[in-house]
């Protein structure tokens, strides 16, 4: 998460939102703080599991907002995609047409913020942060393409890739029409473990890397 790599590595373990079907209690027990999110490679901080608290001031907690009406931005999607209910966690992104292997599917976009601002926003209850390099992070809560809604799986059909400062989600294999898109969040093994409920035969039980 700290060094830019062609193959995106870890999605910050606090998405995004962005995971298996975890309860708020699961995440609360993790007590993940910004200082513990020491992730190498490219990553994304996701806590879409905890709803924003009533009374939060958006000006003071800009990253602490739950995306209530997520949508796919066709400017960044190469195929027809949709967002609907997911068996993995809340809502997910689905292919509305067949997607061949090794193709760009969608770009992860968002407001570009500094590491200092990343630490501030990462302390909120809901974050959609994806580390771009040593200094910049993308906050998918603002200007997101819809890729921030993609759920985790231990056997994903997408992989993340940093190409010239752009985070691209590439298809690992052919994807059927109606299939949910997933990516391995690869949470760091040194932070609090987050239970995985992706349902894959190869599920490792946690979203964190185990080796």
């Amino acid at each position: 998460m700290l060094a830019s790599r062609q193959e995106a590595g870890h999605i910050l373990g606090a998405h995004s939102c962005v995971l298996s079907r975890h309860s708020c209690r699961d995440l609360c027990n993790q007590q993940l703080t910004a200082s513990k999110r020491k992730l190498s490679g490219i990553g994304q901080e996701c806590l879409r599991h905890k709803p924003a608290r009533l009374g939060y001031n958006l000006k003071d907690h800009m990253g602490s907002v739950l995306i209530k009406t997520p949508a796919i931005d066709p400017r960044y999607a190469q195929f027809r995609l949709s967002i609907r209910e997911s068996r993995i966690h809340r809502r997910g992104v689905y292919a509305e047409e067949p997607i061949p292997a090794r193709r760009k599917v969608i770009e992860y976009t968002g407001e570009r913020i500094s590491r200092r601002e990343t630490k501030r926003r990462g302390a909120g209850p809901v974050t959609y942060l994806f580390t771009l390099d040593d200094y910049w992070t993308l906050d998918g809560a603002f200007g997101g393409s819809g890729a921030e809604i993609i759920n985790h799986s231990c056997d994903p059909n997408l992989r993340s890739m940093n190409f010239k400062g752009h985070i691209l989600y590439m298809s690992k294999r052919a994807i059927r029409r109606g299939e949910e898109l997933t990516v391995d969040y690869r949470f760091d093994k040194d932070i609090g473990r987050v239970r995985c409920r992706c349902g894959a035969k190869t599920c490792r039980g946690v979203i964190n890397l185990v080796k």
Side-chain angles (χ1 to χ4, degrees):
M1 287 268 311
L2 300 181
S4 176
R5 295 181 181 176
Q6 184 181 33
E7 176 71 30
H10 310 294
I11 293 181
L12 292 185
H15 107 56
S16 163
C17 56
V18 204
L19 307 184
S20 297
R21 189 173 44 204
H22 310 305
S23 67
C24 297
R25 181 177 302 175
D26 291 333
L27 291 178
C28 289
N29 290 339
Q30 298 305 322
Q31 296 181 335
L32 302 181
T33 62
S35 62
K36 291 183 180 179
R37 295 170 190 147
K38 301 175 181 177
L39 306 179
S40 59
I42 303 303
Q44 185 173 20
E45 291 188 52
C46 299
L47 271 185
R48 98 179 138 186
H49 322 275
K50 278 203 300 185
R53 300 172 186 172
L54 294 177
Y56 257 62
N57 186 314
L58 181 60
K59 183 177 180 181
D60 295 332
H61 303 274
M62 291 184 64
S64 306
V65 294
L66 184 67
I67 300 177
K68 296 181 179 179
T69 56
I72 300 297
D73 189 332
R75 295 176 298 173
Y76 301 102
Q78 306 303 117
F79 297 88
R80 293 196 306 274
L81 308 175
S82 66
I83 296 176
R84 56 179 187 267
E85 293 297 314
S86 168
R87 67 170 183 80
I88 298 177
H89 174 69
R90 288 190 176 177
R91 291 169 292 196
V93 178
Y94 291 81
E96 293 301 321
E97 63 179 313
I99 300 176
R102 299 180 297 280
R103 295 285 298 275
K104 173 187 172 182
V105 178
I106 190 171
E107 179 178 347
Y108 191 101
T109 64
E111 180 185 359
R112 183 175 291 212
I113 59 177
S114 67
R115 288 187 64 82
R116 182 175 181 178
E117 181 66 7
T118 297
K119 180 180 291 187
R120 187 179 75 84
R121 296 190 189 186
V126 181
T127 61
Y128 300 84
L129 305 178
F130 201 118
T131 297
L132 187 61
D133 54 33
D134 286 350
Y135 188 76
W136 297 108
T137 294
L138 297 179
D139 187 348
F142 301 91
S145 63
E148 69 278 1
I149 304 302
I150 293 175
N151 279 314
H152 163 85
S153 174
C154 295
D155 184 21
N157 49 29
L158 300 178
R159 67 184 180 91
S160 52
M161 175 181 182
N162 186 344
F163 181 72
K164 297 182 178 180
H166 294 268
I167 302 301
L168 310 179
Y169 280 172
M170 311 290 294
S171 55
K172 295 182 64 177
R173 56 169 174 78
I175 299 173
R176 303 183 306 276
R177 180 177 180 272
E179 186 175 351
E180 182 174 1
L181 304 183
T182 57
V183 66
D184 190 343
Y185 288 175
R186 298 170 59 86
F187 284 7
D188 194 276
K189 64 181 180 180
D190 295 327
I191 66 173
R193 293 197 164 205
V194 179
R195 183 180 176 186
C196 177
R197 297 188 178 94
C198 69
K201 293 181 179 179
T202 57
C203 180
R204 54 184 180 259
V206 293
I207 294 177
N208 310 66
L209 296 174
V210 295
K211 295 182 179 180

